[in-house]
Amino acid sequence: MPDHFSSVTDSLRLGSRAVIGGIAAVVAILAVAAGLLFAALPDANAFNARVEQIFVQNNNLTSQAEIKLLEVLAQSGTAFSDVLSSYRVIIFILLIFAAALLIVTLIFLLLLIGLNRRMIEIRRAGIEVQSLRILRSENAVMLNDMAFSLTPAAIETLSVLAEARMDDDILTGVQIEAMISGRDAADCEEAAGATRIKRLRDALGNQLVTELLVRNIARKGYALSVAKEAIRVD
């Protein structure tokens, strides 16, 4: 139990660090993007400086129309400067809004991942196999308080696995096929036993129940993940 609590604590710490790191990364990326964007924007007074340069270079302009044109240019430069300044404020507000949305999205995503993991743990704990009763005459199996109607072939496969579990044995596909068909193991194939296991899992239907009940041990064979004391074959 202390190991379980320590693993949960470690998971919480890692989750908190991931959230903090993700938020920091989002803020850093947006800060860099904002810096590059503002650096790429032209100076708000660039247009005014250009108009002033035109005034200096063309100080020999004396006609009323020419002077009026330069005044219009100067006014346009001032308007451009004001517009560009307002654009900077708008861009800054949008970046802040984008940062807030990304941070909230990241937090909700991590919360959903945590909730999904927690739900899987609850579901697994909720259907932990406490008792397994095989009713051959009725072609049914009682798993805790749940009843499953199976085909005769699936019942035979489950019965063989149950008997092997009570003897602490692990059966290969060849052994399963030999025990059910009554033939010699030399005349049976691994694929035939594997097919029987697959049909049993299909008959049980619920993938989670199947994973908890029938276990595939690499390079060894198949076994039931049920305590011997919980198994009863009628």
Side-chain angles (χ1 to χ4, degrees):
M1 188 66 69
D3 294 338
H4 176 69
F5 282 139
S6 63
S7 63
V8 172
T9 303
D10 293 339
S11 300
L12 291 174
R13 288 177 179 173
L14 290 175
S16 300
R17 291 174 183 174
V19 172
I20 295 173
I23 293 174
V26 168
V27 172
I29 291 172
L30 288 175
V32 172
L36 294 175
L37 182 60
F38 283 120
L41 287 175
D43 186 9
N45 293 318
F47 197 87
N48 283 337
R50 184 58 179 165
V51 172
E52 183 180 354
Q53 184 180 0
I54 293 174
F55 269 108
V56 173
Q57 293 176 352
N58 299 276
N59 55 2
N60 57 349
L61 298 177
T62 57
S63 68
Q64 190 67 25
E66 292 171 340
I67 295 174
K68 187 67 175 178
L69 177 60
L70 292 177
E71 290 177 353
V72 170
L73 288 175
Q75 292 174 359
S76 299
T78 302
F80 176 77
S81 176
D82 295 339
V83 170
L84 192 56
S85 298
S86 64
Y87 280 173
R88 289 177 181 271
V89 175
I90 293 173
I91 292 173
F92 182 71
I93 293 174
L94 290 177
L95 285 173
I96 294 177
F97 185 66
L101 285 180
L102 286 175
I103 292 172
V104 171
T105 302
L106 177 63
I107 293 174
F108 273 108
L109 180 61
L110 293 174
L111 287 176
L112 285 176
I113 293 174
L115 286 175
N116 286 337
R117 290 178 178 176
R118 182 57 181 163
M119 287 299 297
I120 291 174
E121 292 176 359
I122 292 173
R123 290 176 63 188
R124 287 183 179 275
I127 61 171
E128 183 179 355
V129 179
Q130 302 293 338
S131 64
L132 175 66
R133 183 182 179 188
I134 302 173
L135 305 173
R136 284 184 169 179
S137 59
E138 300 178 15
N139 291 328
V141 58
M142 294 292 298
L143 186 61
N144 294 345
D145 295 329
M146 297 181 292
F148 296 89
S149 295
L150 305 179
T151 62
I155 285 292
E156 288 299 323
T157 304
L158 186 59
S159 299
V160 168
L161 291 173
E163 292 173 0
R165 178 68 186 93
M166 288 187 286
D167 294 334
D168 289 327
D169 292 333
I170 298 174
L171 300 180
T172 63
V174 172
Q175 293 172 322
I176 293 173
E177 179 64 21
M179 295 175 67
I180 295 176
S181 63
R183 293 181 295 170
D184 189 81
D187 299 329
C188 299
E189 297 180 355
E190 180 70 24
T195 300
R196 291 185 180 274
I197 293 294
K198 182 181 182 302
R199 289 175 179 171
L200 172 61
R201 287 173 169 167
D202 292 340
L204 290 172
N206 191 314
Q207 183 179 358
L208 193 58
V209 172
T210 303
E211 291 178 356
L212 289 174
L213 189 60
V214 183
R215 186 167 47 131
N216 185 3
I217 303 174
R219 300 180 182 179
K220 290 185 178 181
Y222 305 93
L224 294 182
S225 301
V226 185
K228 295 187 294 184
E229 299 78 10
I231 300 175
R232 179 180 174 184
V233 180
D234 296 333

